Amino acid sequence: MLSKPEIGYNECEYDVADLIVFGLPFDSTTSFRPGTRFASAAIRNEFIGIESYSPLLDEDLEEKMIHDLGDVELPFGQIESSLTSIRNCAAKVYSDQKIPFAIGGEHLVSLPLIEAAFERYPNLVVVHLDAHTDLREDYLGNPFSHASVMKRCHDFLGDGRIFQFGIRSGTKEEFQFAKDGHTHLQKFNLSGLSEIFNSFENTPVYVTVDLDVLDPSIFPGTGTPEAGGITYKELEHLFIAMQGINVIGADIVELSPHYDHSGVSTAVACKVLREMMLAILTNK
Amino acid sequence: MLSKPEIGYNECEYDVADLIVFGLPFDSTTSFRPGTRFASAAIRNEFIGIESYSPLLDEDLEEKMIHDLGDVELPFGQIESSLTSIRNCAAKVYSDQKIPFAIGGEHLVSLPLIEAAFERYPNLVVVHLDAHTDLREDYLGNPFSHASVMKRCHDFLGDGRIFQFGIRSGTKEEFQFAKDGHTHLQKFNLSGLSEIFNSFENTPVYVTVDLDVLDPSIFPGTGTPEAGGITYKELEHLFIAMQGINVIGADIVELSPHYDHSGVSTAVACKVLREMMLAILTNK
Amino acid sequence: MLSKPEIGYNECEYDVADLIVFGLPFDSTTSFRPGTRFASAAIRNEFIGIESYSPLLDEDLEEKMIHDLGDVELPFGQIESSLTSIRNCAAKVYSDQKIPFAIGGEHLVSLPLIEAAFERYPNLVVVHLDAHTDLREDYLGNPFSHASVMKRCHDFLGDGRIFQFGIRSGTKEEFQFAKDGHTHLQKFNLSGLSEIFNSFENTPVYVTVDLDVLDPSIFPGTGTPEAGGITYKELEHLFIAMQGINVIGADIVELSPHYDHSGVSTAVACKVLREMMLAILTNK
Amino acid sequence: MLSKPEIGYNECEYDVADLIVFGLPFDSTTSFRPGTRFASAAIRNEFIGIESYSPLLDEDLEEKMIHDLGDVELPFGQIESSLTSIRNCAAKVYSDQKIPFAIGGEHLVSLPLIEAAFERYPNLVVVHLDAHTDLREDYLGNPFSHASVMKRCHDFLGDGRIFQFGIRSGTKEEFQFAKDGHTHLQKFNLSGLSEIFNSFENTPVYVTVDLDVLDPSIFPGTGTPEAGGITYKELEHLFIAMQGINVIGADIVELSPHYDHSGVSTAVACKVLREMMLAILTNK
Amino acid sequence: MLSKPEIGYNECEYDVADLIVFGLPFDSTTSFRPGTRFASAAIRNEFIGIESYSPLLDEDLEEKMIHDLGDVELPFGQIESSLTSIRNCAAKVYSDQKIPFAIGGEHLVSLPLIEAAFERYPNLVVVHLDAHTDLREDYLGNPFSHASVMKRCHDFLGDGRIFQFGIRSGTKEEFQFAKDGHTHLQKFNLSGLSEIFNSFENTPVYVTVDLDVLDPSIFPGTGTPEAGGITYKELEHLFIAMQGINVIGADIVELSPHYDHSGVSTAVACKVLREMMLAILTNK
Amino acid sequence: MLSKPEIGYNECEYDVADLIVFGLPFDSTTSFRPGTRFASAAIRNEFIGIESYSPLLDEDLEEKMIHDLGDVELPFGQIESSLTSIRNCAAKVYSDQKIPFAIGGEHLVSLPLIEAAFERYPNLVVVHLDAHTDLREDYLGNPFSHASVMKRCHDFLGDGRIFQFGIRSGTKEEFQFAKDGHTHLQKFNLSGLSEIFNSFENTPVYVTVDLDVLDPSIFPGTGTPEAGGITYKELEHLFIAMQGINVIGADIVELSPHYDHSGVSTAVACKVLREMMLAILTNK
């Protein structure tokens, strides 16, 4: 008879859940338009607006065990302590043998999430969908920036472990870094994504989706909209490719809901979240 | 020298018109974001912004006989009497041997419209474009809801008379109902639509277009935007398929103009309205 | 370390709370622009943005015992059963000897709330701030409408029990009804409000605030904005007048957050809610 | 049973009407933010949202004889022919012994309206409410501009016939022109307005209200919002002062509805229109 | 250490620049929704938000010589003198042996730009991307209108010199004019564009892009959004086709930034501007 | 003939200017809604929309010597180095014997500005208009926050040097700190402001205006709108009080333009900037 906003349809207790959702309201290093701090609240509010069943995957949230932890409290403007709090939250979920699914926030939140995943799964690979390379050594002198997050991950993962798709913006140097073989970088689209997922076998996979990989026509509510992105139907290839794969953690980042008054961007993020959770939990 | 907002370019008197347009400002059962009550006013205001000629169909509104009745007055929150008023309006148009074209409002308005069509044309078939199945037995206990409208039509039309396209959201049970053969349901796109129209021959056809069948990128102004829809260019297949077919009634529903401040959704609805009217009136 | 949206700063369990907040997402009879169904969610999301301390009242939410029940689930378009659910919720709070504070929704929600209050406190008086008289016998034939809510309350309360302030819109007949002595009606402003509160002594008082009593300059986010309203500073007279009075129930209604993209209307509603809760709980 | 948008509640035929409303969708000389061309359509759409009865004036639109002509068709970017069309429309209304009430458009539309009034009533006085002096000799070399409209009127009216109120923006030279006695100019507010109206006795009065005389807090939807304006309650002094005066023509200008997504500016314009029409038609 | 908004990344002095950018804040003949006067300011403000490097063209703005002149001052509502000012500005750039790149404004600005180009390059051809034919003889009697701009260019260029792509709106007569061989007109898409560019060899080419050739899903911020347009990825064929061609002038027109609060339309315009400048300056 | 956006009407070179304007796009510690980084760009864009002459002060910008430096470049998320850059910029202006006028950014930018002023004028007093006390010892552990800026200034200014007006939000502890005599704090309004300015005689005065001191009705475009603020007309008392006073530096902060799509907040900020500059430069 009474309701409060929560993600998931069969919301269960933490202890029995397979997948743990939490929000990361952090946008301190955003270089253009801030506001991703409001993403998890917006998603929680609107999640009720989508169905629990996916006709694409033929799976239903009502049959899955998911717990919504709420938002990690992060002090504005204090980058270092925020990264530590995020890493601790993810590490706790891993130590409880569950799958963390984070809702950003800006893309820098993926750094502590992937660090925590790497600590538990040293043979980890990372699949990264994005409009931007995120491979800068630093941004205006700052090595911990949403424009450098994949470079920071490469620092500890090394070559051949990062697979980037949909990339259509960056400096010449960043694209050269990928061409030199440090990451697998597919420009403009998701070509080859299914094959690469199939090649992973049992390797643990972390999936990070910067939602601005989508074209701004369908996802205007983000900090740095970049024309020429993929359609939602193209993104569905990711959801299908993830089914049956050993995905051990995931995040979706860079929804900035105040920049899209139509609410479509938030609705899209909710649907991406549903499909990714269902793909990860297929047969669970 | 003076103008007032009306739909159509060669606005003629009711008596000599072939096609009768009317608005249905009704959104009482909308489950998520209300506001479709403002659709017909918005379309009337903006219709002047589009050309009378269609390069796609090579037809011109200036050569067609169309009358705009205005809006049917419907009391807010009183579902039963509203449905009766709508049914009466459509029945009057049918008794005058004209083609009704209604502008919703939410999708429940199609129920009395199709009832009135069925009374006159018992061998009617219904073509239904939508993001949602609309096949629920009821919604939160209410059998008369925009989420149940096609189920209510199936109650009196029976199996094999409803052809659904573009569907990408619903419960598992709704999709199963279609799979069991009660309706023809094409998921995600308009595949097979032209062939089905061609198979109708002289059968009277009612066409109901829930505009949210379009992708939210091009049609954000609706109550429950659902990613993964068809493009406007895909929808053009409907207009072409309708030419030469015995379409005896039609509606477009679920424009909620306040949710799209850019005005694009209303402009799209105006163009869909023009193309559907021209397709119906081809060679008339 | 983790947070979820809730109203109140010292959120305590139901059993020990003095005041119980709940949301009523209901806008089925809204005659112009719907959307008050989103008010309680918006307030819950933004309440964190205001301080717990009121310099006006010198009281602090951190020292008060408040419990947020969440939203009562109300089926769209089903007026009768919704009113019953609301009445039951309030009656339960009264039977537990607590003070209910409801967040609308449209103004019709006040009818079951005041009915439940009247059942417990037969000598109840009602203070009503609003731009509109809400004294219609019916609206387009419907006796249960947000435009008739005070008339419906008068049906069982009778003359001399309703005190209306800030009224600036209605039919000639409605204003005549008040002039004939059935309600105390102060046009345009809050003149005399403090004196009337002082005259109540220990009489139980229910306070219903239609937020459109505020001028649309400060509260644009409502269904029927009506120019010429009171300023927020004038409304502060209500908060001060309520301190020390036996207020046994209250509601704020008619916030329609989607119509104010600046967020100011929701911020105003949060502050009104804080001040009214603090005024009711002064010395508790 | 059917409705189309029109201004007025007791819409009657032109021949029997006392007051004739028409729209002037013209904004060709707007210097900052264009869009007043959409004002009359917006007002027509929203007028249904306000009551017919004014508690301030104790008058009711349902008892008045008003006809809505629609919009005068004006070619974009062609200033001279537009001004002629407007003048002709007003002259026709005067020759039929009726009162014209125009809805702008930008303020330049008042020039042909006042010219037509002056032709019929050579002893005319003009009351002008505005944020801006509108007394420039020209604007960027153009003598026919919304920034020069009162100067152009002064060209044929001469000294002592223009009464300006609420003015708070202009060049030093414009204020000096008024100080030199060419117009009566009350800076910042409506001080003295009632007295001046009372002094008119039977002199024919034309009232032109640039709605940006209102503070942008209550009227943001205009081309050049100027802080420090009057409140709506202050503007009510105009409505009361107009009752019993020989007002022979009026206009309201400079609503630019697209700049106010809340709809409040349009709602305010509707109410100003109602009050001014009722004041003019008091005892008629 | 200090920054002011300018287009380009390696902003150099006029004398040494190869390409000269300037803004044309002109929208006097806009027939539907005005506001393109704000386009160049919006683009200047947001240009910093995109990278200097194009992964599509493998070229970098930091290596190009570009100077931003600012906006040409154009008096509102004075069409003739505005067209003269624009023509003079372009003629000066041509006389200095540089390439002008104008940012509209409405499409009529292309007329004086192409006139200036034609004066210098009498064997000029024009490539025109647009949703609209722009081939009207006049618009509401006005021969100088954004709906007539290509007809006015045909007046002096003659047959076989104008190549139109993406056209999907116009009158029957306009399409017939093209069918009669006066212009090359490709309906709906860019089919054949690469082949035509290749056929130009050393002929001087002027490229005018009405940004509403893009689908309104990706470019809602324009005066007359027209569904069924090309995607941004389709537009990329233009950029590639332009590389190595003798493009001697270009413009992008019809961005109306206030109609797209998400900012995506402006971001798209910035990217189109970058790609077109880089394509023109390839190997320079 | 050509224009680029700049603040001021008689823009002169730095060397001969009396007053130096610069922008500070910094919002790293904003606790609720970020976006003040866009304020100076918005003001630069819109400043052309207001007149150069002030009828309130009878002064004209065209007669004043003002230079606009542009924006100080500040790396996002790096608080310490940003504060240093701001302090250096102000110190340079002071060393050149000019008056700095900064446009925030969030309120923390006032800390380095006042530090630089204090270094040059050790007997400085600070006048602070704001909705919020800004006297927290820290915010979520961070001593350098926009909620602590006045406390940080008190650290080096000491008691009796800070004069706060319009304050209506803060913790109980903050109000107690003022009551204990550490600052002069006038709750809710500007009462006593003129008298205090008059008492300053030749003491150097720094004026910092957090624009959220204004009521959100007139200034919705800010991070934490707080109802019950002063009107623009009340704020005019500040401008008048400043004339003839030895104001040696000033700032306006907390405009967040993206939260007010009507543009009114930016227009208000432009007018406040004009009036404050004119008041400071009266008789200069």
Side-chain angles (χ1 to χ4, degrees), chain E residues 153-169:
Chain E
C153 289
H154 179 269
D155 289 348
F156 61 87
L157 287 172
D159 288 357
R161 305 281 282 280
I162 299 175
F163 300 83
Q164 305 184 284
F165 293 90
I167 311 296
R168 57 194 185 275
S169 179

Side-chain angles (χ1 to χ4, degrees), chain B residues 55-113:
Chain B
L56 181 75
L57 302 175
D58 195 23
E59 296 277 340
D60 200 317
L61 280 182
E62 295 199 343
E63 298 159 4
K64 305 301 175 188
M65 304 301 275
I66 296 168
H67 180 79
D68 177 2
L69 268 185
D71 283 352
V72 180
E73 288 195 357
L74 304 168
F76 299 110
Q78 293 181 276
I79 297 172
E80 207 170 328
S81 69
S82 293
L83 298 187
T84 301
S85 294
I86 296 169
R87 194 162 40 236
N88 290 346
C89 180
K92 171 77 168 63
V93 175
Y94 280 122
S95 75
D96 293 329
Q97 317 232 26
K98 297 169 191 305
I99 300 170
F101 199 124
I103 301 169
E106 54 149 279
H107 212 160
L108 186 57
V109 302
S110 299
L111 175 58
L113 294 167

Side-chain angles (χ1 to χ4, degrees), chain D residues 27-35 37-38 73-79 139-143 258-259 261, chain E residues 27-35 37-38 73-79 139-143 258-259 261:
Chain D
D27 55 10
S28 293
T29 79
T30 298
S31 54
F32 193 46
R33 307 193 305 188
R37 66 180 69 177
F38 302 110
E73 290 195 355
L74 304 169
F76 299 110
Q78 291 181 277
I79 297 172
Y139 188 78
L140 299 178
N142 182 8
H258 291 186
Y259 281 100
H261 290 311
Chain E
D27 55 10
S28 292
T29 79
T30 298
S31 55
F32 194 44
R33 308 192 306 187
R37 65 181 69 177
F38 302 111
E73 289 196 355
L74 304 169
F76 300 110
Q78 292 182 275
I79 297 172
Y139 189 78
L140 298 178
N142 183 5
H258 292 186
Y259 281 100
H261 290 310

Side-chain angles (χ1 to χ4, degrees), chain A residues 27-35 37-38 74-79 139-142 258-259 261, chain F residues 27-35 37-38 74-79 139-142 258-259 261:
Chain A
D27 55 9
S28 293
T29 79
T30 298
S31 54
F32 194 44
R33 308 192 305 188
R37 65 179 71 176
F38 302 110
L74 304 168
F76 299 111
Q78 292 181 275
I79 297 172
Y139 189 78
L140 299 177
N142 182 5
H258 291 186
Y259 280 100
H261 290 311
Chain F
D27 55 9
S28 294
T29 79
T30 297
S31 54
F32 194 45
R33 308 193 304 188
R37 65 180 70 176
F38 302 110
L74 304 168
F76 300 110
Q78 293 181 275
I79 298 172
Y139 188 78
L140 299 177
N142 182 8
H258 292 186
Y259 280 100
H261 290 311

Side-chain angles (χ1 to χ4, degrees), chain F residues 5 24 42 80 107 109 120 129-131 189 201 236 260 272 277:
Chain F
L24 301 173
E80 207 170 329
H107 213 160
V109 302
R120 186 155 189 93
L129 275 70
D130 203 330
N189 54 46
E201 296 186 348
E236 291 183 335
D260 181 7
V272 171
M277 293 196 300

